[in-house]
Amino acid sequence: MLIDKSDINNYNQPLLAEHTRNFEFIAAGIKDVEIILQKLIDFQIAIPSWALGTGGTRFGRFPGGGEPRSLEEKIEDVGLLHALNQSGGAISLHIPWDIPGDAASVKTLAAQQGLRFDAMNSNTFQNQPDQKLSYKYGSLQNVNKEIRKQAVAHNIEVINYGVQLGSQSLTVWLSDGSCFPGQLNFRQAFQNTLEGLKEIYAALPADWKMFVEYKAYEPNFYSTTVGDWGQSLLYANKLGSKAFTLVDLGHHLPNANIEQIIALLLMEGKLGGFHFNDSKYGDDDLTVGSIKPYQLFLIFNELIEGMDERGMNHTTALAWMIDASHNVKDPLEDLLQSVEAIMISYAQALLVDRKKLAEAQQNNDVVTAQEILQNAFRTDVRALVAEARLRSGAALKPLDVYRSHKVREYLIKERGLKTITTGL
């Protein structure tokens, strides 16, 4: 389904007067507002292909109908989201869920939707129907060399698909680990994994990056072979200059200081990118900003400080992606909410007076430092984000347009009520 610019302009027209009042009010108090607006316009977040269908739990899944049945339909759905907010200009694919039958035509379709291909994601955490050997006891860590070779070959296959589509990065997430003490030799598992990652790294094109994702637990609960940011950083450092750590906000133990982790990875030049989501208990994969909006703001505060310190481009230096799953929401509505939350937190963090904050830190003025951060966080920047959308040709209120056009009803009519998206 396409919502063209004329539809969006027609929707925006009756809202312009109120929006202009709200925007002028906030803009009057912001220094360099045009610079901030341009940063918001430029900032793009990749949408994962697997988030376009209804997620689930170990106990059940409740598809809402109209889910994309093919890679082409997934691209069309992301294109629809991008038309509404002009902030989701990339799609991230998971292989073998999203193998392109005709890479040239898939790439053309994405370009027609204004999309590029973000990081390619490999899958060695599931057994596929035609798979010769099982990953039941791990993939790159496995004691069986043939299984390790199979996992390496799959990752190289993913790179090759990515080259055809114009991607420039590979994300490797491993569910490898153990469930019981004594099941695994930790050092041997690390060495096996490193050996496999080196082979994959050697297959990267010169202009590619490898992201090593970590996770504290699940599906293995006693140990995971890439269990935290330190282990990921250890792999990345051993692999070389094209290897980086990828941070998924849900892949930490409770109460982990994610913003401190980010600051240190930036300092080391080894932060590669993000999977944005939110959580209450673990890897809940909830809508971004739905549970801990202040934490999301603090993360962006450290990102901006660290990136500016190193002269990094906010838009292109890191990989930005949503990784959410939703059992009770329309997936497209959830993604619109997540993009909005990310843009709001980014805008709030851009308002922080870095000079005054540095002075407060140097003077051990804890109260002033807290006030500087919380004043920025408490600023209602929704009109600022909406103005950036307006200037990009997007909707002032994307979710309202989505609902007023009855998009989900249209997709159910076109695709059916019982469709289940590939990969879930």
Side-chain angles (χ1 to χ4, degrees):
M1 179 179 182
L2 290 175
I3 297 178
D4 61 34
K5 289 189 179 296
S6 62
D7 290 332
I8 291 173
N9 289 335
N10 290 337
Y11 172 83
N12 285 341
Q13 282 302 316
L15 304 177
L16 284 176
E18 181 183 3
H19 164 72
T20 300
R21 287 194 300 271
N22 292 337
F23 171 67
E24 289 178 347
F25 176 79
I26 186 173
I30 297 177
K31 182 182 178 182
D32 298 327
V33 67
E34 291 298 324
I35 294 175
I36 290 176
L37 280 170
Q38 191 58 54
K39 288 181 183 294
L40 292 172
I41 291 169
D42 293 341
F43 198 78
Q44 298 293 311
I45 303 134
I47 306 298
S49 60
W50 58 94
L52 299 164
T54 309
T57 70
R58 288 178 294 163
F59 304 100
R61 182 167 179 262
F62 305 95
E67 296 187 6
R69 300 162 296 183
S70 64
L71 173 55
E72 288 76 10
E73 288 185 351
K74 291 179 180 182
I75 292 171
E76 290 170 0
D77 284 2
V78 177
L80 169 65
L81 296 175
H82 188 49
L84 290 172
N85 59 30
Q86 288 298 313
S87 297
I91 181 170
S92 186
L93 303 186
H94 224 306
I95 305 298
W97 300 342
D98 304 308
I99 292 177
D102 182 341
S105 64
V106 166
K107 190 175 180 181
T108 298
L109 175 62
Q112 291 170 347
Q113 302 282 342
L115 306 175
R116 62 177 178 82
F117 288 94
D118 199 70
M120 303 294 291
N121 299 265
S122 59
N123 181 338
T124 61
F125 52 86
Q126 290 178 326
N127 288 341
Q128 303 304 321
D130 58 348
Q131 186 173 312
K132 181 180 178 182
L133 301 169
S134 174
Y135 294 133
K136 180 177 181 178
Y137 298 109
S139 57
L140 292 183
Q141 76 169 24
N142 205 292
V143 295
N144 185 322
K145 187 172 183 178
E146 293 303 308
I147 294 175
R148 300 200 301 272
K149 288 171 63 177
Q150 176 181 270
V152 169
H154 168 68
N155 276 275
I156 294 174
E157 177 189 20
V158 174
I159 292 170
N160 292 334
Y161 283 125
V163 169
Q164 295 175 51
L165 295 173
S167 174
Q168 290 184 304
S169 53
L170 169 71
T171 297
V172 180
W173 176 69
L174 303 170
S175 67
D176 293 17
S178 63
C179 288
F180 299 98
Q183 176 184 337
L184 193 68
N185 182 300
F186 295 140
R187 292 188 302 277
Q188 189 61 59
F190 182 93
Q191 292 298 333
N192 285 346
T193 303
L194 179 61
E195 179 183 291
L197 288 174
K198 283 182 176 179
E199 291 184 55
I200 298 165
Y201 184 87
L204 290 175
D207 58 348
W208 272 52
K209 296 178 180 179
M210 176 191 283
F211 303 135
V212 182
E213 187 175 355
Y214 60 89
K215 188 176 184 180
Y217 61 92
E218 194 189 41
N220 285 289
F221 288 91
Y222 178 64
S223 71
T224 44
T225 300
V226 193
D228 58 29
W229 70 279
Q231 293 173 59
S232 172
L233 178 61
L234 192 58
Y235 283 115
N237 281 335
K238 289 178 178 293
L239 290 171
S241 61
K242 295 187 290 186
F244 300 86
T245 292
L246 185 136
V247 177
D248 184 306
L249 300 189
H251 285 192
H252 302 83
L253 293 172
N255 301 316
N257 192 325
I258 301 173
E259 50 268 38
Q260 184 180 25
I261 293 170
I262 288 162
L264 297 177
L265 287 171
L266 274 171
M267 182 179 70
E268 293 298 303
K270 280 296 185 179
L271 180 62
F274 279 85
H275 284 181
F276 287 106
N277 46 54
D278 213 334
S279 62
K280 178 66 175 177
Y281 297 106
D283 188 25
D284 304 343
D285 274 351
L286 299 177
T287 313
V288 182
S290 60
I291 304 292
K292 305 170 187 171
Y294 190 52
Q295 181 189 60
L296 183 62
F297 161 77
L298 293 175
I299 286 168
F300 266 107
N301 175 63
E302 292 300 332
L303 282 166
I304 290 171
E305 194 278 334
M307 293 179 77
D308 288 351
E309 179 72 20
R310 297 178 61 87
M312 299 167 68
N313 184 297
H314 293 187
T315 306
T316 60
L318 300 179
W320 312 102
M321 197 191 82
I322 294 168
D323 185 5
S325 180
H326 14 75
N327 206 19
V328 296
K329 282 184 178 178
D330 177 329
L332 298 183
E333 291 188 347
D334 177 88
L335 288 164
L336 287 171
Q337 288 182 309
S338 287
V339 171
E340 179 80 354
I342 292 168
M343 298 305 292
I344 285 172
S345 291
Y346 178 46
Q348 289 170 328
L350 288 170
L351 299 183
V352 172
D353 189 324
R354 309 244 154 243
K355 183 178 179 182
K356 287 185 178 179
L357 180 60
E359 290 174 355
Q361 291 167 341
Q362 289 300 312
N363 293 325
N364 292 319
D365 189 345
V366 181
V367 171
T368 296
Q370 177 183 326
E371 288 296 300
I372 289 168
L373 290 180
Q374 292 193 348
N375 284 340
F377 174 68
R378 290 166 178 158
T379 302
D380 185 352
V381 297
R382 287 176 295 176
L384 194 65
V385 173
E387 176 67 16
R389 277 199 301 271
L390 183 65
R391 296 188 185 190
S392 301
L396 284 170
K397 296 182 178 180
L399 186 57
D400 286 0
V401 177
Y402 179 88
R403 289 195 162 188
S404 67
H405 278 70
K406 300 184 183 301
V407 173
R408 183 53 58 185
E409 289 90 332
Y410 174 87
L411 294 175
I412 289 173
K413 182 178 179 180
E414 288 291 306
R415 300 171 181 173
L417 186 60
K418 302 294 185 179
T419 61
I420 297 178
T421 191
T422 54
L424 294 175

